[in-house]
Amino acid sequence: MEVSRRFQDRTEAGEFLAEELRERGFDADLVLAIPRGGLPLGRAVADELDAPLDVVVAKKIGAPGNPEYAIGAVASDGSVWRNEEAILGTRSDEEYFQQQRERKAAEARQKAERYRGGRSEPNLAEKTVVVVDDGVATGSTARACLAKLRDSDADRVVLAVPVGPPSSIAELEEGTDEVVCLEKPGSFMGVGQFYRNFSQVSDEEAMAYMET
């Protein structure tokens, strides 16, 4: 399959994304990266827009017996996105979903606290916030992160990603003020196909971007 654009790595994708945001005249008060893969891009965007960098964390809720298949996702504060079609298709009952929601929300809180290293969660009141990730497929974790930010006092929330399928991007546009996406290919197998180097980012590497 012909790929319209391939990024060398997440840092290069972040630089392209930052350039696009700058050309569109974005003036962000805060950049929130979705760990772990979103941190290299978030660093590039935050540097270009001269904004502080922090994180917004969500965890996928997997189906019973198939944890990789998302039936939803939950953010660190418990804000949740439910994939009702997947819930019905996997016959996941409400008790299972709520148990997983509580467990995964606790994991997300712990991760956010670890990444911040004891710093408090940033105040979003009346701010323009740019949320960055390395791409979206179904967008489950991004949806939960956006649900969390919808409940905040942020003035404007923008999701910025280098790549995602048109259907997912259209659905994400319904949950935020704006989505900036560099590539929306009709044929989409996965985010990794749009990177030459899509090696996993460790927690240590990701946290280092917050210290730069």
Side-chain angles (χ1 to χ4, degrees):
M1 187 197 75
E2 185 69 24
V3 175
S4 53
R5 177 173 8 181
R6 295 185 73 194
F7 305 103
Q8 180 61 39
D9 54 22
R10 289 179 177 87
T11 295
E12 183 182 76
E15 290 169 351
F16 279 117
L17 197 57
E19 182 180 350
E20 179 70 16
L21 290 165
R22 174 60 72 192
E23 288 180 355
R24 294 195 189 192
F26 280 92
D27 187 17
D29 297 305
L30 179 67
V31 174
L32 296 179
I34 301 177
R36 295 178 300 232
L39 262 301
L41 294 90
R43 181 74 270 162
V45 170
D47 288 347
E48 178 65 27
L49 300 185
D50 194 24
L53 175 65
D54 208 281
V55 293
V56 57
V57 183
K59 289 284 188 176
K60 179 170 58 180
I61 299 174
N66 187 5
E68 293 305 310
Y69 183 61
I71 61 172
V74 61
S76 55
D77 69 338
S79 297
V80 70
W81 170 72
R82 298 169 61 101
N83 186 340
E84 298 294 351
E85 183 177 345
I87 291 171
L88 290 173
T90 57
R91 298 182 180 179
S92 306
D93 60 33
E94 191 63 22
E95 181 180 5
Y96 169 85
F97 188 91
Q98 293 302 330
Q99 287 176 344
Q100 290 299 304
R101 176 182 180 176
E102 291 179 11
R103 184 166 74 86
K104 294 296 183 178
E107 291 178 7
R109 280 194 300 275
Q110 292 168 2
K111 187 169 188 174
E113 290 167 0
R114 185 168 74 253
Y115 270 58
R116 292 194 179 103
R119 297 191 308 274
S120 59
E121 188 168 351
N123 178 16
L124 306 183
E126 300 181 359
K127 291 183 178 179
T128 296
V129 180
V130 177
V131 180
V132 178
D133 204 357
D134 56 11
V136 297
T138 62
S140 58
T141 52
R143 294 171 204 256
C145 289
L146 293 174
K148 177 182 188 299
L149 297 176
R150 280 198 303 272
D151 293 334
S152 73
D153 294 324
D155 182 58
R156 187 169 183 236
V157 177
V158 177
L159 175 66
V161 294
V163 62
S167 58
S168 293
I169 296 301
E171 291 169 358
L172 286 163
E173 286 173 339
E174 297 175 3
T176 191
D177 294 304
E178 187 171 353
V179 176
V180 175
C181 181
L182 302 181
E183 298 287 336
K184 293 181 276 189
S187 297
F188 186 94
M189 299 297 292
V191 172
Q193 78 185 103
F194 297 91
Y195 288 84
R196 293 184 177 88
N197 177 7
F198 197 62
S199 57
Q200 191 174 47
V201 179
S202 69
D203 280 326
E204 291 73 19
E205 290 173 308
M207 286 186 283
Y209 286 103
M210 297 184 67
E211 300 167 359
T212 302

